[in-house]
Amino acid sequence: MTSPIERLRKIVVQLRSPNGCPWDREQTHQSLKPHLVEECYELIDAIDAGNDKELKEELGDLLLQVVLHSQMAAEASRFTLDEVATAIADKLVNRHPHVFGESRLPNSEAVLRQWEVIKRSEKHERRSILDGVPKGLPALARAQKIQTKAARVGFDWDVADGALAKVREELQEVESAAEGCLAEEVGDLLFAVVNFARKKKLDAEQLLNEASGKFAARFRAMERLAQERGLEFASLSLPEMDRLWDDAKAAGQR
């Protein structure tokens, strides 16, 4: 009996065949990049929604991307889906000697330190601990990833207060910056805020997404209140908008 994964692989092979789907046949690794990113974000939305039906569907959409890229490589005699699965299985076993070997580790921090050591031994071409951080990550996520990697080799404050002091220092530099230097100083401030979030074991990308969502929900509530009161929202003064903001907040749009 054909396994579900094998059935999916055969479907993709047929879609990519000369008699298959014109759109699927035209795709390349490069052309699928936007779809891959989109599927990742849709999966994150499904996780946040806590909906198993959506989660299962979005995991399937992401799996399709893996199978499509693997099939394209197979067509060019580069590698196959089985080789992709073998590579990740071998990597997991090699990077978890405390599970699949004799060694034991006391906690997750020790696991992460060991992971980095093993990873560096595998990646001989990498000269820096920061090599391998994807440039295409969202800016906050990339900053936190860079900081985390630096911290794993000891370049970090002992406590979060040090990171918070750096935030205050960078804020002062923003306040005193000349116009030509302002952009750089704001960037430094953002980086410092991410570092403080990391020290508090918070995800800066998620925090900003949640803050943006909260702002958007309250702003929409302001628009509804204005409509209910017969007001033209775009014509209101800032103090009038502030009052609507406070009313929306009091109504539960915190």
Side-chain angles (χ1 to χ4, degrees), residues 105-122:
L105 294 174
N107 52 49
S108 59
E109 290 184 3
V111 169
L112 291 175
R113 286 195 297 271
Q114 175 182 259
W115 179 280
E116 285 298 330
V117 171
I118 296 173
K119 186 174 181 179
R120 291 195 73 183
S121 71
E122 294 171 349

Side-chain angles (χ1 to χ4, degrees), residues 10-29:
K10 288 181 177 179
I11 289 170
V12 170
V13 169
Q14 186 170 346
L15 289 172
R16 292 275 301 172
S17 70
N19 295 322
C21 171
W23 185 89
D24 286 285
R25 289 191 352 248
E26 290 171 359
Q27 299 314 302
T28 66
H29 293 296

Side-chain angles (χ1 to χ4, degrees), residues 30-69:
Q30 288 293 325
S31 70
L32 284 176
K33 282 165 58 177
H35 301 284
L36 177 59
V37 172
E38 182 179 342
E39 296 299 353
C40 288
Y41 281 115
E42 289 180 359
L43 175 57
I44 290 171
D45 285 345
I47 292 171
D48 290 343
N51 185 312
D52 280 355
K53 182 176 180 295
E54 290 182 7
L55 180 58
K56 179 174 67 174
E57 180 180 347
E58 297 304 338
L59 282 168
D61 289 345
L62 187 57
L63 177 59
L64 172 59
Q65 293 294 311
V66 174
V67 176
L68 270 169
H69 283 281

Side-chain angles (χ1 to χ4, degrees), residues 165-177:
K166 186 64 174 177
V167 172
R168 296 192 185 101
E169 176 189 324
E170 295 297 349
L171 180 58
Q172 291 174 353
E173 292 185 8
V174 167
E175 292 171 340
S176 60

Side-chain angles (χ1 to χ4, degrees), residues 13 16 27-29 67-81 83:
V13 169
R16 292 275 301 172
Q27 299 314 302
T28 66
H29 293 296
V67 176
L68 270 169
H69 283 281
S70 299
Q71 177 56 28
M72 290 175 193
E75 291 165 5
S77 300
R78 291 160 57 199
F79 56 81
T80 66
L81 179 61
E83 289 176 284

Side-chain angles (χ1 to χ4, degrees), residues 18-248:
N19 295 322
C21 171
W23 185 89
D24 286 285
R25 289 191 352 248
E26 290 171 359
Q27 299 314 302
T28 66
H29 293 296
Q30 288 293 325
S31 70
L32 284 176
K33 282 165 58 177
H35 301 284
L36 177 59
V37 172
E38 182 179 342
E39 296 299 353
C40 288
Y41 281 115
E42 289 180 359
L43 175 57
I44 290 171
D45 285 345
I47 292 171
D48 290 343
N51 185 312
D52 280 355
K53 182 176 180 295
E54 290 182 7
L55 180 58
K56 179 174 67 174
E57 180 180 347
E58 297 304 338
L59 282 168
D61 289 345
L62 187 57
L63 177 59
L64 172 59
Q65 293 294 311
V66 174
V67 176
L68 270 169
H69 283 281
S70 299
Q71 177 56 28
M72 290 175 193
E75 291 165 5
S77 300
R78 291 160 57 199
F79 56 81
T80 66
L81 179 61
D82 283 347
E83 289 176 284
V84 171
T86 298
I88 186 58
D90 289 346
K91 180 190 291 185
L92 287 172
V93 171
N94 188 53
R95 294 191 186 177
H96 292 81
H98 54 290
V99 176
F100 301 103
E102 298 300 322
S103 65
R104 293 294 178 264
L105 294 174
N107 52 49
S108 59
E109 290 184 3
V111 169
L112 291 175
R113 286 195 297 271
Q114 175 182 259
W115 179 280
E116 285 298 330
V117 171
I118 296 173
K119 186 174 181 179
R120 291 195 73 183
S121 71
E122 294 171 349
K123 308 285 186 179
H124 299 293
E125 72 281 4
R126 293 183 180 176
R127 299 183 178 277
S128 169
I129 192 72
L130 302 181
D131 288 348
V133 176
K135 294 179 181 179
L137 278 176
L140 292 181
R142 182 166 180 254
Q144 191 153 350
K145 186 73 171 179
I146 287 171
Q147 294 163 358
T148 299
K149 281 182 167 288
R152 286 180 188 165
V153 293
F155 191 68
D156 196 12
W157 284 279
D158 292 332
V159 293
D161 286 349
L164 184 57
K166 186 64 174 177
V167 172
R168 296 192 185 101
E169 176 189 324
E170 295 297 349
L171 180 58
Q172 291 174 353
E173 292 185 8
V174 167
E175 292 171 340
S176 60
E179 190 63 32
C181 302
L182 182 60
E184 180 180 353
E185 296 300 345
V186 170
D188 290 345
L189 175 60
L190 290 172
F191 192 84
V193 170
V194 172
N195 223 355
F196 176 68
R198 177 188 61 81
K199 288 298 292 181
K200 286 295 188 178
K201 301 189 184 304
L202 300 171
D203 186 307
E205 189 75 24
Q206 181 177 342
L207 293 178
L208 184 57
N209 274 327
E210 290 174 356
S212 297
K214 183 168 67 174
F215 176 90
R218 194 178 295 171
F219 191 87
R220 291 189 180 98
M222 291 169 59
E223 292 174 314
R224 288 194 298 271
L225 286 174
Q227 186 176 26
E228 291 167 4
R229 297 171 186 180
L231 303 173
E232 179 61 40
F233 185 80
S235 300
L236 298 177
S237 66
L238 182 57
E240 290 171 323
M241 287 186 176
D242 282 339
R243 284 193 289 275
L244 283 176
W245 179 270
D246 291 337
D247 290 345

